[in-house]
Amino acid sequence: MNVEIIVIGDELLIGQVTDTNSGDIARMLAPYGWTVSKVQTVSDNADEIRCAVEAARSRSRIVLTTGGLGPTKDDITKSVLCDIFGGTLVENSEVLDNVRRIFSLKGLDMNRLTASQALVPDTCTVIQNLVGTAPIMWFESAEDGGVLVAMPGVPSETRKMFNEAVLPRLLTHFGHDIAVMHHTLTVSGISESALAQHLEQWESSLPANLHLAYLPAQGIIRLRIDGNDTDSQRLASLMASAVDELRELTADYLLYDGGHSPQEELLNILAEQHLTVATAESCTGGNIGHLITSIPGSSRSMLGGVIAYSNAVKANVLEVSSATLDEHGAVSIPVVEQMAAGVQRVSGADVALATSGIAGPGGAVEGKPVGTVCIAVNTPRGNESRTWHFAGSREQVIMRASTTALVTAIKLLK
């Protein structure tokens, strides 16, 4: 089943807000074999919304819209949908009660504009928004049974209500009888183009109902095999064979099974091996520590970190030798090796990750251009230190350096 999504709002087109709703919806649809065939972003303009909706309905039996349902004058989606599906805006008492409930929970008084959220087309079925004031509206076409569902633009509201109320209703309305399976391998140490060339012959020989997707991120590539079949047992057999073949073909680059993040994988390994970790960061500014501690349960393994941005902190806290700093400079292998040893000494951690580099856009010196990053990783199974050269913006250099440090630790511990 193909689904089209229309994202509505001027704030999206001027870059003030980033659309995350379409990605969330696509991920929730995928397990049922439904795919998002098109995503459009349109402004808060009646003609543009109307044209987008009518075009989407001509191509797909399921059209989802997000945004444009607020109480202000620029939120005109409800009026446009009245024009398309007929009917008039009427006050819905259940929606009004829900709006009062939401405002009461927040300790706020409901004003005239907020009360207008209860005005909905009398040609739709209302799905109560349990976490917000904008109601969800379900429209059905008498001609082909197609459905349009208008949802709020607030990501937390859309995510919860689509998963708990809209998706189950869509599945009941349209049904689904196709088995869907996915399996992901995460690799590193090879470029996407080189990997594609390496896998070209094997990929071409895949059964028609299996597909390989390349999902590159900073420093890693996720290889996801997607499959669908009316026979779940047949699909399971095909997938198992394909995964085994892909695992063998990527053995030199395989980091781990699954599509989770490197920081999650590192924490899994640390927990299995009963090890602890600490970080000593200069150019990454605490980003490695942030990535690790963003994972629930990280406190079992993460002891702490030192953001040693200045040479004074490197010397006074991590005991990096002043002579080493003078001779080699802060961005050097001897310095990051002493930083890693220093944070292990301070924290007592089994594993240490240290970085020092030039994230840019300025700061380059002779022989050390922007993007130069020295990384040292110490583990009970061995140590590694290396100078890397990363391209891109400051943010990209920081993220690539952070991921590379995590990947290095994973490889050493495995």
Side-chain angles (χ1 to χ4, degrees):
M1 182 71 71
N2 288 328
V3 178
E4 290 204 26
I5 300 174
I6 302 170
V7 185
I8 302 168
D10 292 337
E11 67 277 11
L12 294 150
L13 291 169
I14 64 174
Q16 188 178 43
V17 174
T18 301
D19 166 42
T20 58
N21 286 329
S22 57
D24 288 338
I25 291 169
R27 283 186 286 274
M28 286 185 271
L29 291 172
Y32 303 96
W34 292 10
T35 58
V36 175
S37 58
K38 189 176 181 67
V39 178
Q40 300 179 73
T41 302
V42 299
S43 66
D44 293 301
N45 176 278
D47 290 336
E48 291 190 17
I49 296 171
R50 183 181 299 105
C51 288
V53 168
E54 290 176 347
R57 292 181 67 215
S58 71
R59 292 184 296 256
S60 177
R61 295 181 66 203
I62 301 177
V63 178
L64 308 173
T65 72
T66 68
L69 300 181
T72 56
K73 289 184 178 179
D74 59 338
D75 292 310
I76 57 175
T77 303
K78 287 190 286 188
S79 298
V80 174
L81 293 176
C82 267
D83 292 341
I84 294 172
F85 290 96
T88 57
L89 291 173
V90 297
E91 185 175 273
N92 184 296
S93 60
E94 293 181 355
V95 174
L96 188 60
D97 288 343
N98 185 60
V99 174
R100 288 196 182 102
R101 179 184 65 84
I102 294 291
F103 265 65
S104 175
L105 288 172
K106 294 180 178 180
L108 300 173
D109 294 326
M110 189 172 70
N111 58 36
R112 176 179 54 82
L113 280 178
T114 307
S116 70
Q117 294 280 63
L119 295 174
V120 296
D122 57 8
T123 48
C124 76
T125 299
V126 173
I127 299 174
Q128 293 294 345
N129 181 355
L130 301 180
V131 288
T133 58
I136 298 163
M137 296 170 291
W138 173 290
F139 296 86
E140 288 186 24
S141 169
E143 300 170 0
D144 63 0
V147 167
L148 181 144
V149 185
M151 297 177 289
V154 180
S156 58
E157 297 179 22
T158 301
R159 202 161 41 238
K160 179 177 177 63
M161 295 310 301
F162 184 79
N163 184 53
E164 297 182 6
V166 176
L167 180 55
R169 189 176 183 123
L170 286 170
L171 294 172
T172 299
H173 185 81
F174 291 98
H176 65 98
D177 55 5
I178 297 178
V180 179
M181 293 185 69
H182 312 277
H183 194 97
T184 301
L185 301 180
T186 299
V187 302
S188 69
I190 185 172
S191 67
E192 184 181 5
S193 58
L195 184 60
Q197 186 173 338
H198 178 65
L199 298 175
E200 183 177 10
Q201 186 174 349
W202 173 81
E203 190 177 354
S204 299
S205 68
L206 282 173
N209 61 333
L210 298 188
H211 171 72
L212 179 67
Y214 295 78
L215 307 171
Q218 297 285 2
I220 61 171
I221 301 172
R222 294 181 176 93
L223 293 171
R224 191 187 68 217
I225 304 177
D226 301 313
N228 61 79
D229 202 310
T230 54
D231 186 322
S232 59
Q233 291 185 335
R234 180 172 58 202
L235 176 61
S237 177
L238 288 173
M239 284 288 292
S241 296
V243 170
D244 286 344
E245 292 166 1
L246 183 59
R247 193 179 285 116
E248 183 176 349
L249 285 167
T250 59
D252 292 340
Y253 314 105
L254 183 60
L255 196 59
Y256 50 84
D257 256 46
H260 51 283
S261 66
Q263 54 268 29
E264 290 175 282
E265 179 65 13
L266 177 59
L267 285 169
N268 290 339
I269 296 171
L270 293 172
E272 289 170 5
Q273 299 183 15
H274 306 288
L275 299 175
T276 55
V277 65
T279 60
E281 303 183 59
S282 184
C283 65
T284 50
N287 191 55
I288 300 173
H290 162 69
L291 292 173
I292 293 172
T293 56
S294 66
I295 306 302
S298 58
S299 59
R300 289 176 296 179
S301 303
M302 178 64 170
L303 297 185
V306 176
I307 302 176
Y309 215 64
S310 72
N311 284 353
V313 174
K314 290 179 178 72
N316 296 333
V317 178
L318 298 176
E319 298 184 8
V320 175
S321 163
S322 297
T324 301
L325 285 165
D326 292 340
E327 181 180 354
H328 299 281
V331 182
S332 65
I333 293 299
V335 166
V336 289
E337 288 177 342
Q338 291 184 31
M339 288 172 65
V343 81
Q344 283 184 295
R345 191 164 47 247
V346 168
S347 67
D350 304 300
V351 176
L353 287 68
T355 63
S356 185
I358 305 167
V365 297
E366 185 177 354
K368 298 176 183 179
V370 169
T372 301
V373 181
C374 296
I375 298 174
V377 177
N378 292 355
T379 79
R381 296 195 174 191
N383 304 337
E384 182 175 316
S385 52
R386 177 177 168 184
T387 299
W388 298 81
H389 298 281
F390 302 122
S393 66
R394 180 179 180 85
E395 292 76 16
Q396 289 172 318
V397 170
I398 290 171
M399 194 63 203
R400 186 67 185 273
S402 300
T403 302
T404 300
L406 293 165
V407 167
T408 301
I410 291 169
K411 289 180 176 179
L412 285 169
L413 289 169
K414 283 191 170 185

